[in-house]
Coordinates of all heavy atoms in Angstrom, one line a residue:
M1 N 0.8 -1.2 0.0 CA 0.0 0.0 0.0 C 0.9 1.3 0.0 O 0.5 2.3 -0.6 CB -0.9 0.0 1.2 CG -2.1 0.9 1.1 SD -3.1 0.3 -0.3 CE -4.3 1.6 -0.2
K2 N 2.0 1.2 0.7 CA 2.9 2.4 0.7 C 3.4 2.7 -0.7 O 3.6 3.8 -1.1 CB 4.1 2.1 1.6 CG 5.0 3.3 1.7 CD 6.2 3.1 2.7 CE 7.1 4.2 2.8 NZ 7.2 5.2 1.8
L3 N 3.6 1.6 -1.5 CA 4.1 1.8 -2.9 C 3.1 2.6 -3.7 O 3.4 3.6 -4.4 CB 4.4 0.5 -3.6 CG 4.9 0.5 -5.0 CD1 6.3 1.1 -4.9 CD2 5.0 -0.9 -5.5
F4 N 1.8 2.3 -3.6 CA 0.8 3.0 -4.3 C 0.6 4.4 -3.8 O 0.5 5.4 -4.5 CB -0.6 2.3 -4.1 CG -1.7 3.0 -4.9 CD1 -1.7 2.9 -6.3 CD2 -2.7 3.6 -4.2 CE1 -2.8 3.5 -6.9 CE2 -3.7 4.2 -4.9 CZ -3.8 4.2 -6.3
H5 N 0.8 4.6 -2.5 CA 0.7 6.0 -1.9 C 1.9 6.8 -2.4 O 1.7 8.0 -2.7 CB 0.8 5.9 -0.4 CG 0.6 7.2 0.3 ND1 1.7 8.0 0.7 CD2 -0.5 7.9 0.7 CE1 1.3 9.1 1.2 NE2 -0.1 9.1 1.2
D6 N 3.1 6.2 -2.5 CA 4.2 7.0 -3.0 C 4.0 7.3 -4.5 O 4.5 8.3 -5.0 CB 5.5 6.2 -2.9 CG 6.0 6.2 -1.4 OD1 5.6 7.0 -0.6 OD2 6.9 5.4 -1.1
L7 N 3.4 6.4 -5.2 CA 3.1 6.6 -6.7 C 2.3 7.8 -6.9 O 2.5 8.6 -7.9 CB 2.5 5.4 -7.3 CG 2.3 5.4 -8.8 CD1 3.7 5.4 -9.5 CD2 1.6 4.2 -9.2
I8 N 1.3 8.1 -6.1 CA 0.4 9.2 -6.4 C 0.6 10.4 -5.5 O 0.0 11.5 -5.8 CB -1.1 8.7 -6.2 CG1 -1.3 8.3 -4.7 CG2 -1.5 7.7 -7.1 CD1 -2.8 8.0 -4.4
S9 N 1.6 10.4 -4.6 CA 1.8 11.5 -3.7 C 3.1 12.2 -3.9 O 3.3 13.3 -3.4 CB 1.5 11.1 -2.3 OG 2.5 10.2 -1.9
T10 N 4.1 11.6 -4.5 CA 5.4 12.2 -4.6 C 5.6 12.7 -6.0 O 5.0 12.2 -7.0 CB 6.5 11.2 -4.2 OG1 6.5 10.1 -5.1 CG2 6.4 10.7 -2.8
D11 N 6.6 13.6 -6.2 CA 6.8 14.1 -7.5 C 7.4 13.1 -8.5 O 7.0 12.9 -9.6 CB 7.7 15.3 -7.5 CG 9.0 15.1 -6.7 OD1 9.1 14.1 -6.1 OD2 9.9 16.0 -6.8
Y12 N 8.3 12.2 -8.0 CA 8.9 11.2 -8.8 C 7.9 10.1 -9.1 O 7.9 9.5 -10.2 CB 10.2 10.6 -8.2 CG 10.1 10.1 -6.8 CD1 9.6 8.8 -6.6 CD2 10.4 10.9 -5.7 CE1 9.5 8.3 -5.3 CE2 10.2 10.4 -4.4 CZ 9.8 9.1 -4.2 OH 9.7 8.6 -3.0
G13 N 7.0 9.9 -8.2 CA 5.9 8.9 -8.4 C 5.0 9.3 -9.5 O 4.5 8.6 -10.4
L14 N 4.6 10.6 -9.5 CA 3.7 11.2 -10.5 C 4.3 11.2 -11.8 O 3.7 10.9 -12.9 CB 3.2 12.6 -10.1 CG 2.2 12.6 -8.9 CD1 2.0 14.1 -8.5 CD2 0.9 11.9 -9.3
M15 N 5.6 11.5 -11.9 CA 6.3 11.5 -13.2 C 6.4 10.1 -13.7 O 6.3 9.9 -14.9 CB 7.7 12.1 -13.1 CG 7.7 13.6 -12.9 SD 6.9 14.5 -14.3 CE 8.1 14.2 -15.6
S16 N 6.6 9.1 -12.9 CA 6.6 7.7 -13.3 C 5.2 7.3 -13.8 O 5.1 6.6 -14.9 CB 7.0 6.8 -12.2 OG 8.3 7.1 -11.8
L17 N 4.2 7.7 -13.1 CA 2.8 7.4 -13.5 C 2.5 8.0 -14.9 O 1.9 7.4 -15.8 CB 1.8 7.8 -12.5 CG 0.4 7.4 -12.6 CD1 0.3 5.9 -12.7 CD2 -0.5 8.0 -11.5
I18 N 2.9 9.3 -15.1 CA 2.7 10.0 -16.3 C 3.4 9.3 -17.4 O 2.9 9.1 -18.5 CB 3.1 11.5 -16.2 CG1 2.1 12.2 -15.3 CG2 3.1 12.1 -17.6 CD1 2.5 13.6 -14.9
G19 N 4.7 8.9 -17.2 CA 5.5 8.2 -18.2 C 4.8 6.8 -18.6 O 4.8 6.5 -19.7
I20 N 4.4 6.1 -17.6 CA 3.7 4.8 -17.9 C 2.5 5.0 -18.7 O 2.2 4.3 -19.7 CB 3.4 4.1 -16.5 CG1 4.7 3.6 -15.9 CG2 2.5 2.9 -16.8 CD1 4.6 3.2 -14.4
L21 N 1.6 6.0 -18.3 CA 0.4 6.2 -19.0 C 0.7 6.7 -20.4 O 0.0 6.3 -21.4 CB -0.5 7.2 -18.3 CG -1.1 6.7 -17.0 CD1 -1.8 7.8 -16.3 CD2 -1.9 5.5 -17.2
F22 N 1.7 7.5 -20.6 CA 2.1 8.0 -21.9 C 2.5 6.9 -22.8 O 2.1 6.8 -24.0 CB 3.2 9.1 -21.8 CG 3.6 9.6 -23.1 CD1 2.8 10.5 -23.8 CD2 4.8 9.3 -23.7 CE1 3.2 11.1 -25.0 CE2 5.2 9.8 -24.9 CZ 4.4 10.7 -25.5
M23 N 3.3 6.0 -22.3 CA 3.8 4.8 -23.1 C 2.7 3.9 -23.5 O 2.6 3.4 -24.6 CB 4.9 4.1 -22.3 CG 6.2 4.9 -22.1 SD 6.9 5.4 -23.7 CE 7.8 3.9 -24.1
L24 N 1.7 3.7 -22.5 CA 0.6 2.8 -22.9 C -0.3 3.5 -23.9 O -0.8 2.8 -24.8 CB -0.2 2.5 -21.6 CG 0.4 1.6 -20.6 CD1 -0.5 1.5 -19.3 CD2 0.6 0.2 -21.2
G25 N -0.5 4.8 -23.8 CA -1.2 5.5 -24.8 C -0.6 5.4 -26.2 O -1.2 5.3 -27.2
M26 N 0.8 5.6 -26.2 CA 1.5 5.4 -27.5 C 1.3 4.0 -28.1 O 1.2 3.9 -29.3 CB 3.0 5.7 -27.3 CG 3.3 7.2 -27.4 SD 5.1 7.6 -27.2 CE 5.9 6.2 -27.9
G27 N 1.4 3.0 -27.2 CA 1.2 1.7 -27.7 C -0.2 1.4 -28.3 O -0.3 0.8 -29.4
V28 N -1.2 2.0 -27.7 CA -2.6 1.8 -28.2 C -2.7 2.6 -29.6 O -3.3 2.1 -30.5 CB -3.6 2.3 -27.2 CG1 -5.0 2.4 -27.8 CG2 -3.6 1.4 -26.0
F29 N -2.1 3.8 -29.6 CA -2.2 4.6 -30.8 C -1.5 3.9 -32.0 O -2.0 3.7 -33.1 CB -1.6 5.9 -30.6 CG -1.4 6.7 -31.8 CD1 -2.5 7.3 -32.4 CD2 -0.1 6.9 -32.4 CE1 -2.3 8.1 -33.6 CE2 0.0 7.6 -33.6 CZ -1.1 8.2 -34.2
F30 N -0.2 3.4 -31.8 CA 0.5 2.8 -32.9 C -0.1 1.4 -33.2 O -0.1 1.1 -34.4 CB 2.0 2.6 -32.5 CG 2.8 3.9 -32.6 CD1 3.4 4.5 -31.6 CD2 2.9 4.5 -33.9 CE1 4.1 5.6 -31.7 CE2 3.6 5.6 -34.0 CZ 4.2 6.2 -32.9
L31 N -0.7 0.7 -32.3 CA -1.3 -0.6 -32.6 C -2.5 -0.3 -33.5 O -2.7 -1.0 -34.6 CB -1.7 -1.3 -31.3 CG -2.4 -2.6 -31.5 CD1 -1.4 -3.6 -32.1 CD2 -2.9 -3.1 -30.2
S32 N -3.3 0.7 -33.2 CA -4.5 1.0 -34.0 C -4.1 1.5 -35.4 O -4.7 1.2 -36.4 CB -5.4 1.9 -33.4 OG -4.8 3.2 -33.2
L33 N -3.0 2.3 -35.4 CA -2.5 2.9 -36.7 C -2.0 1.8 -37.6 O -2.4 1.7 -38.8 CB -1.4 3.9 -36.4 CG -0.7 4.5 -37.6 CD1 -1.7 5.6 -38.2 CD2 0.6 5.1 -37.2
F34 N -1.2 0.9 -37.1 CA -0.6 -0.2 -37.9 C -1.7 -1.2 -38.3 O -1.7 -1.7 -39.5 CB 0.5 -0.9 -37.1 CG 1.7 -0.1 -36.9 CD1 2.5 -0.3 -35.8 CD2 2.0 1.0 -37.7 CE1 3.6 0.5 -35.5 CE2 3.1 1.8 -37.4 CZ 3.9 1.5 -36.3
L35 N -2.6 -1.5 -37.5 CA -3.7 -2.5 -37.9 C -4.6 -1.8 -38.9 O -5.1 -2.5 -39.8 CB -4.5 -2.9 -36.6 CG -3.8 -3.8 -35.7 CD1 -4.7 -4.1 -34.5 CD2 -3.4 -5.1 -36.3
N36 N -4.8 -0.5 -38.8 CA -5.6 0.1 -39.9 C -4.9 0.1 -41.2 O -5.5 -0.1 -42.3 CB -5.9 1.6 -39.4 CG -6.8 2.3 -40.4 OD1 -7.5 1.6 -41.1 ND2 -6.9 3.6 -40.3
K37 N -3.6 0.3 -41.2 CA -2.8 0.3 -42.4 C -2.7 -1.1 -43.0 O -2.7 -1.3 -44.2 CB -1.4 0.9 -42.2 CG -1.4 2.4 -42.0 CD 0.0 3.0 -42.1 CE -0.1 4.5 -42.0 NZ -0.6 5.1 -43.2
I38 N -2.6 -2.1 -42.2 CA -2.5 -3.5 -42.6 C -3.8 -3.9 -43.3 O -3.9 -4.5 -44.3 CB -2.2 -4.4 -41.5 CG1 -0.7 -4.2 -41.0 CG2 -2.4 -5.9 -41.8 CD1 -0.3 -4.9 -39.8
G39 N -4.9 -3.4 -42.7 CA -6.3 -3.8 -43.2 C -6.6 -3.2 -44.5 O -7.4 -3.7 -45.3
R40 N -6.0 -2.0 -44.8 CA -6.2 -1.3 -46.1 C -5.6 -2.1 -47.3 O -6.1 -2.0 -48.4 CB -5.7 0.1 -46.1 CG -6.7 1.1 -45.6 CD -6.2 2.4 -46.0 NE -5.8 3.1 -44.8 CZ -5.1 4.2 -44.7 NH1 -4.7 4.8 -45.8 NH2 -4.7 4.7 -43.6
G41 N -4.5 -2.7 -47.0 CA -3.8 -3.5 -48.1 C -2.9 -2.6 -48.9 O -2.8 -1.4 -48.7
P42 N -2.2 -3.2 -49.9 CA -1.3 -2.4 -50.7 C -2.1 -1.4 -51.6 O -3.2 -1.7 -52.1 CB -0.5 -3.4 -51.5 CG -1.4 -4.6 -51.5 CD -2.2 -4.6 -50.2
R43 N -1.4 -0.3 -52.0 CA -2.1 0.6 -52.9 C -1.6 0.5 -54.3 O -0.5 0.2 -54.6 CB -1.9 2.0 -52.4 CG -2.6 2.3 -51.2 CD -2.6 3.8 -50.8 NE -3.5 4.0 -49.8 CZ -4.0 5.2 -49.5 NH1 -3.6 6.2 -50.2 NH2 -4.9 5.3 -48.5

């Protein structure tokens, strides 16, 4: 529980959380982008 409290209450914890969420968001974005391009086929 202290780990979660440190994650949301300290400056380095918040920066880590923002970094993790940013990377997950990038992964979702690129996955949808690549799957969309694969589905279109060659031009």
Side-chain angles (χ1 to χ4, degrees):
M1 199 63 184
K2 182 179 181 337
L3 183 66
F4 182 71
H5 184 268
D6 284 346
L7 185 64
I8 60 174
S9 64
T10 60
D11 55 347
Y12 54 86
L14 288 174
M15 286 301 289
S16 298
L17 187 61
I18 289 169
I20 292 167
L21 292 176
F22 181 74
M23 294 299 280
L24 288 174
M26 275 182 31
V28 169
F29 171 75
F30 281 118
L31 182 65
S32 64
L33 179 74
F34 295 152
L35 289 176
N36 188 17
K37 287 191 177 287
I38 289 170
R40 267 197 255 166
R43 290 189 169 200

